[in-house]
Amino acid sequence: MKRNNKVIDYPVFTKEMVKDYTILIPSMLDVHMKLMKEVLVQAGYKCKVCDNFEGVAQVGLKYVHNDTCYPATLVIGQFIDALEHMEDTSKVALILTQTGGGCRASNYIYLLRKALKKAGFGHVPVISVSMQGLEHSGFKLDLKMATKLGVAVFYGDLIMYLYNKTRSYEITKGSAEELVNKITKVLAEKLKNGSGIGAREMSKNYRYICEEFNKLPITNEKKVKVGVVGEIYVKYASLANNNLETFLVEQGCEVNVPGLLGFVYYSLYVPQYDKEIYGGSTIKNLIYKGLIKYLEKREKLMIKAIEKYTSFTPMMPFKHTVNLSNGILSHAVKMGEGFLLTAEMVELIQTGYENIVCAQPFGCLPNHICGKGVMKELKDKYPLANIVAIDYDPSQTKVNQENRIKLMIAVGKEKL
Ligand code: SF4
């Protein structure tokens, strides 16, 4: 097949496939993914979030070179493992988000297609979603759907934020998780029916989430506060970070994982910065600016709801966070998580989470620069900062990672 004079030698997800094909979504953030899935269902797609974890790294290693980024190994491994466990793969498609930036994450799609061929699944179409646009017409990510996915990110971030604020202090074991499941179900139902999108509805739902968490009985113990930053996949996916959040909670810590919204903002902010320095399309730039304005309004409502309906301190707005890396790392550093990673560490330190785990895939150069590379500078500026960088890849042992984290917690406990 030929498209725009390019020969296409891989299966394409067409409009005709929408009705019958099930789209597999890789796992990452549980709550966010559940909500996003409902947005896709509402738009007419059949979807399933992958829930296979056992042995996927080994499957990934079988089909991609072992010097490939760990997130790619896992995502590709999870897809192929899921396909291998299906009786019929003739009506299955895969969806992959790509950063579209200069990092290797922009090339995962080629690795995935190559791996699929090698594993005997060359007939499975892959939908690529990136800031640079979509490859195929069968999957339509219009402004309406993008807005709804954005709404799912807000709800997901708020739930994750309040869950982390309460789960370490719950009086009844498992009650915070139960509440998360209950709220996620309510919101998923709303998104499935196409509601919960407008500003007024979002505000109401924010209030509902906050009130529910505020009612949860918790203790008033003092715990070591630990922030988690890092490469986006390793930071959020329990599959990649060996259940880091749960481990920290079991060690008696309160955890704070900055939300996905920061990365969305960052992805919209970077092209604007580029435009200022290198030039580029004014129209695109205006669209990005408009989107940031939209996000800021919704973010304001979320912060207002946390302040008013809970006793918890809200997160900082992005327009504040974005400048926190100033004097340490320039905004021109934009590969991987770029300056955002540094800015998030500063935000955590300034809000009392001086103990930080910086989770990064082994050999991930961008995040070693923005994470490990700025640790000395951060410690000089904030002497109470207690940061540990942990590498994740198939050859790292969990025990080794956890022992290093335990040392960091021990220092945190001493300070507490
Ligand atoms: S950020 Fe790191 S792990 Fe992610 S694609 Fe880039 S190099 Fe690989």
Side-chain angles (χ1 to χ4, degrees), residues 69 71 103-105 108 231 336-337 361 364-367:
C69 307
C103 204
R104 285 187 271 179
Y108 286 180
E231 187 275 336
E337 278 54 43
C364 165
L365 184 62
N367 289 305

Side-chain angles (χ1 to χ4, degrees), residues 184-198:
T184 310
K185 224 170 150 191
V186 171
L187 293 172
E189 204 51 40
K190 288 188 189 221
L191 291 174
K192 197 171 164 182
N193 298 325
S195 65
I197 312 295

Side-chain angles (χ1 to χ4, degrees), residues 154 265 295-303 317-318:
F154 275 108
Y265 265 126
L295 294 179
E296 278 174 355
K297 281 187 189 156
R298 299 295 196 259
E299 184 189 42
K300 211 170 164 185
L301 293 175
M302 180 168 78
I303 291 176
F318 181 75

Side-chain angles (χ1 to χ4, degrees), residues 46-170:
K46 283 203 223 167
C47 307
K48 186 183 181 293
V49 181
C50 292
D51 54 4
N52 53 324
F53 300 112
E54 204 59 40
V56 302
Q58 295 315 312
V59 177
L61 282 174
K62 238 167 103 182
Y63 296 104
V64 288
H65 198 278
N66 66 356
D67 68 4
T68 304
C69 307
Y70 191 39
T73 307
L74 288 178
V75 172
I76 294 172
Q78 192 174 44
F79 276 146
I80 294 181
D81 180 70
L83 292 169
E84 281 174 348
H85 285 87
M86 282 180 176
E87 275 178 25
D88 181 12
T89 56
S90 62
K91 290 201 169 130
V92 182
L94 313 175
I95 194 163
L96 190 73
T97 50
Q98 300 198 91
T99 59
C103 204
R104 285 187 271 179
S106 302
N107 300 305
Y108 286 180
I109 188 105
Y110 308 106
L111 284 179
L112 175 58
R113 286 198 178 115
K114 203 172 148 199
L116 285 172
K117 248 189 195 169
K118 215 165 135 189
F121 299 112
H123 58 281
V124 177
V126 183
I127 304 161
S128 148
V129 185
S130 82
M131 287 281 290
Q132 267 56 42
L134 296 167
E135 280 188 334
H136 306 312
S137 60
F139 185 87
K140 286 255 174 283
L141 181 66
D142 52 15
L143 194 62
K144 210 167 148 197
M145 189 148 99
T147 309
K148 289 180 183 176
L149 289 171
V151 169
V153 172
F154 275 108
Y155 289 146
D157 274 5
L158 180 56
I159 296 171
M160 180 172 80
Y161 190 73
L162 295 175
Y163 176 48
N164 280 330
K165 287 271 181 197
T166 49
R167 71 187 288 203
S168 308
Y169 304 98
E170 61 188 8

Side-chain angles (χ1 to χ4, degrees), residues 19 24 83 126 156 161 163 167 170 201 211 216 271 294 335-336 413:
K19 210 158 60 67
L24 290 188
L83 292 169
V126 183
Y161 190 73
Y163 176 48
R167 71 187 288 203
E170 61 188 8
E201 283 174 289
E211 275 169 6
L216 194 82
Y294 165 83
M335 291 297 139
K413 279 193 178 151

Side-chain angles (χ1 to χ4, degrees), residues 221-275:
E221 296 162 85
K222 279 226 169 310
K223 299 214 171 195
V224 177
K225 292 180 163 191
V226 181
V228 176
V229 293
E231 187 275 336
I232 185 163
Y233 185 78
V234 171
K235 168 181 162 189
Y236 291 132
S238 55
L239 171 64
N241 62 32
N242 291 326
N243 265 317
L244 175 60
E245 283 173 58
T246 305
F247 171 74
L248 289 169
V249 172
E250 282 167 1
Q251 295 302 309
C253 306
E254 179 195 316
V255 190
N256 186 348
V257 189
L260 185 58
L261 186 62
F263 192 80
V264 178
Y265 265 126
Y266 165 76
S267 308
L268 296 169
Y269 173 86
V270 163
Q272 283 181 54
Y273 184 82
D274 282 352
K275 164 88 170 71

Side-chain angles (χ1 to χ4, degrees), residues 26 37-38 45 165 168 179 184 221 234 258 292 309 319 358 364 382 400-401 415:
K37 186 197 123 189
E38 295 308 336
Y45 300 99
K165 287 271 181 197
S168 308
L179 184 58
T184 310
E221 296 162 85
V234 171
I292 288 192
Y309 296 94
K319 67 174 170 206
C358 181
C364 165
Y382 302 97
N400 199 12
Q401 290 160 344
K415 285 182 184 166

